[in-house]
Amino acid sequence: RKRAQFFQDEAAKKVQDRKEADASVTYVEDKDTRKPKAVADISDYWKSDLGMLPFTPGDNVGGAEDGDDIDPQDRLEYLQMFNEQLGQLLRLKFHVFWSQMIYDDKVRRVLDSYLRFCLRSHDACAGQATGATNG
């Protein structure tokens, strides 16, 4: 009871203090000693493996370079999984999200590959218009 009350009191104090995320701490239970320990809110402590896979140009559905060797159903399943993982990332608490972004190279690479290779609506329209005039 005392331990739970301590964590509640510290959480309430944290809200009241209104410190910046990079100056604030959260108290967690140490795995070894089972005593409370302060962990910086922006820290690799909060990082977890989200299991995200890089996005490649072949992951686009309906792209201009559709090949017969790639199953559109596999692409759709990957995109649905990727969408769920992005949703999971965006639902993280503020300090956990930024800790993940700062300390997880894999997530940064995944987002970079998505932003570089994902077709936007204007890319798809341009590809269709080019295909229609060349055909």
Side-chain angles (χ1 to χ4, degrees):
R1 280 190 165 184
K2 288 182 181 180
R3 184 172 292 157
Q5 187 62 45
F6 171 79
F7 289 117
Q8 288 176 348
D9 291 346
E10 287 300 320
K13 182 180 172 187
K14 179 179 172 178
V15 169
Q16 195 173 39
D17 288 347
R18 298 179 147 211
K19 291 183 180 178
E20 294 86 14
D22 61 345
S24 186
V25 297
T26 299
Y27 282 88
V28 297
E29 187 175 282
D30 186 273
K31 293 175 185 172
D32 297 328
T33 64
R34 314 251 325 144
K35 293 182 180 180
K37 83 173 182 181
V39 176
D41 278 354
I42 305 297
S43 164
D44 63 347
Y45 175 87
W46 305 108
K47 180 180 79 167
S48 63
D49 183 10
L50 299 177
M52 299 178 87
L53 299 172
F55 189 91
T56 64
D59 293 323
N60 288 300
V61 174
E65 70 284 339
D66 275 351
D68 294 332
D69 58 334
I70 300 174
D71 183 12
Q73 186 61 34
D74 289 342
R75 288 181 178 177
L76 286 174
E77 289 173 9
Y78 167 76
L79 291 174
Q80 288 171 340
M81 177 191 68
F82 190 73
N83 188 41
E84 291 170 12
Q85 290 172 331
L86 288 176
Q88 177 186 3
L89 178 67
L90 292 171
R91 284 189 298 275
L92 294 173
K93 290 182 178 182
F94 180 82
H95 71 282
V96 177
F97 171 83
W98 283 109
S99 294
Q100 193 77 37
M101 295 304 299
I102 292 168
Y103 293 101
D104 191 349
D105 293 334
K106 187 175 181 182
V107 169
R108 289 199 314 270
R109 284 194 304 272
V110 167
L111 290 176
D112 178 61
S113 67
Y114 177 76
L115 293 172
R116 282 194 289 145
F117 299 128
C118 182
L119 289 178
R120 278 84 169 163
S121 59
H122 62 274
D123 294 334
C125 293
Q128 290 173 353
T130 305
T133 56
N134 292 340

